[in-house]
Amino acid sequence: MGDGQMKAAPVRVSDGNWLPYIEYYERQLLNGGDSNGCVLFTWQEDFDAQVNYLIENGKIPQSLLDQFSAWGYMDSNSNDGKPHFHTSPRFLQILTGNGLNGNNLVDAPTAARTYGCLPYTDLPVDPTMTPEEYVNPAAITPAMYAKAKQFLEAIGGKQAIQYQWITDGGTNVSGMRCALPAAPLALGINVGTNWNTVQPTIPPVSAGGQPGHSVMNYFIDVSDGTWIYDHYLPNPKDLVAGYPIWYSLQTIVNIIPLPPLPVEPSVPISTQSPQSISLWSAWLSAISSWLGNLSQRLSSKGRSKEK
């Protein structure tokens, strides 16, 4: 069980409430059945909230924001009518390779670190599809793979997406509270018979420690109520104090854009001239600094599959 402290984890939202940065909501239930994609919906909302935080707090350079817009990551279908960062949970669910069988919590960041993320509008949640159509690998074109990979490279590669366990097989609300200022949490929980209420009843002990659902924890209140973003209405929900939370995984998104190439001088100069050497030395120094920021790497292990 972790203590909520990730080495060099940033303090971003001091009160630990990430709700202001969550801009979109999708239901995992399709018209023809359930996509069983709770892990991917949870992680996509978590990832997008962190990127929206970085954007709104001026921590992403304008040149990279312009690229996000050009590639289609800034989606304007939000309540305030403004563009916000929005990626596709369906893209990652297909790429985990588990179809409709649910996923381990670590499957989502692993897929994102491998393939990148795709704009939501390129591969949206289409409730008119059957579940089998929803997870059909043929839906992903070569151009989609290329765009997602380009995005991953632009934000700093797989090292821009790190993760750690906060709770690993038992409830640790204090550790979760300590971790929330850095990033939201992906939870593995059980659900009771009246899940579709604002405050679901604590499931019976007989439900055991192998969770069947994943949700995003965006805040913990003074009464130890764990507020979650769910994919079944009503949303959000409050898991009251004492609700068993078997697993919580935290992803830290730290975008490290690649320094731009040096600009060619207007007057040609010799490759051996002091001006040319200085120009490339400065760029190589920037590259070295950028690579230094990528040195930290965390590893973890999978857990039970949530749907």
Side-chain angles (χ1 to χ4, degrees):
M1 203 178 286
D3 63 2
Q5 295 295 319
M6 182 178 185
K7 184 178 180 181
V11 174
R12 290 169 168 166
V13 178
S14 58
D15 64 356
N17 187 353
W18 285 85
L19 187 60
Y21 302 103
I22 306 172
E23 301 293 344
Y24 299 92
Y25 169 73
E26 287 87 38
R27 297 180 64 181
Q28 71 177 68
L29 187 63
L30 308 175
N31 293 350
D34 201 309
S35 66
N36 290 342
C38 60
V39 168
L40 292 310
F41 282 96
T42 290
W43 192 87
Q44 169 258 331
E45 289 159 351
D46 178 345
F47 181 78
D48 290 3
Q50 291 190 61
V51 177
N52 278 314
Y53 164 84
L54 295 172
I55 292 172
E56 293 181 29
N57 286 274
K59 299 183 181 298
I60 296 180
Q62 187 60 48
S63 58
L64 186 55
L65 285 179
D66 291 342
Q67 285 283 255
F68 287 174
S69 295
W71 290 333
Y73 289 92
M74 304 305 291
D75 189 351
S76 60
N77 296 327
S78 181
N79 290 333
D80 62 8
K82 298 178 182 179
H84 298 280
F85 188 81
H86 197 194
T87 59
S88 169
R90 183 183 173 203
F91 178 71
L92 295 178
Q93 183 171 353
I94 292 172
L95 292 175
T96 65
N98 292 321
L100 301 172
N101 296 316
N103 286 274
N104 302 318
L105 292 182
V106 295
D107 289 344
T110 299
R113 283 165 54 90
T114 303
Y115 300 101
C117 297
L118 192 70
Y120 177 87
T121 52
D122 284 13
L123 201 64
V125 176
D126 183 351
T128 68
M129 290 182 169
T130 65
E132 291 73 21
E133 290 172 326
Y134 186 82
V135 297
N136 184 357
I140 301 178
T141 67
M144 291 176 182
Y145 278 110
K147 180 186 285 189
K149 188 68 172 179
Q150 190 174 28
F151 167 80
L152 183 61
E153 292 171 354
I155 66 171
K158 66 181 182 179
Q159 302 298 344
I161 303 171
Q162 301 284 352
Y163 57 89
Q164 67 169 349
W165 291 103
I166 303 301
T167 56
D168 188 3
T171 306
N172 181 11
V173 173
S174 62
M176 291 164 54
R177 187 196 300 278
C178 187
L180 276 172
L185 305 174
L187 308 184
I189 58 171
N190 290 318
V191 301
T193 56
N194 69 332
W195 177 250
N196 295 326
T197 60
V198 174
Q199 288 188 329
T201 302
I202 295 175
V205 175
S206 60
Q210 295 300 317
H213 190 38
S214 178
V215 292
M216 183 181 70
N217 172 213
Y218 65 83
F219 181 59
I220 296 174
D221 64 28
V222 294
S223 68
D224 283 347
T226 300
W227 286 88
I228 61 169
Y229 217 67
D230 190 26
H231 318 110
Y232 298 95
L233 296 174
N235 176 67
K237 292 182 174 71
D238 174 20
L239 304 185
V240 298
Y243 200 104
I245 299 169
W246 296 104
Y247 299 102
S248 62
L249 184 76
Q250 183 176 56
T251 296
I252 301 289
V253 181
N254 185 26
I255 293 178
I256 313 168
L258 184 68
L261 287 170
V263 178
E264 287 292 331
S266 56
V267 177
I269 56 178
S270 167
T271 57
Q272 299 303 315
S273 72
Q275 181 181 0
S276 176
I277 293 171
S278 175
L279 184 67
W280 282 100
S281 295
W283 184 76
L284 289 172
S285 176
I287 284 290
S288 297
S289 176
W290 177 77
L291 290 173
N293 288 330
L294 299 181
S295 61
Q296 181 181 350
R297 181 175 181 179
L298 300 175
S299 62
S300 190
K301 58 184 179 179
R303 286 296 182 269
S304 58
K305 293 185 177 181
E306 285 80 45
K307 299 182 179 179

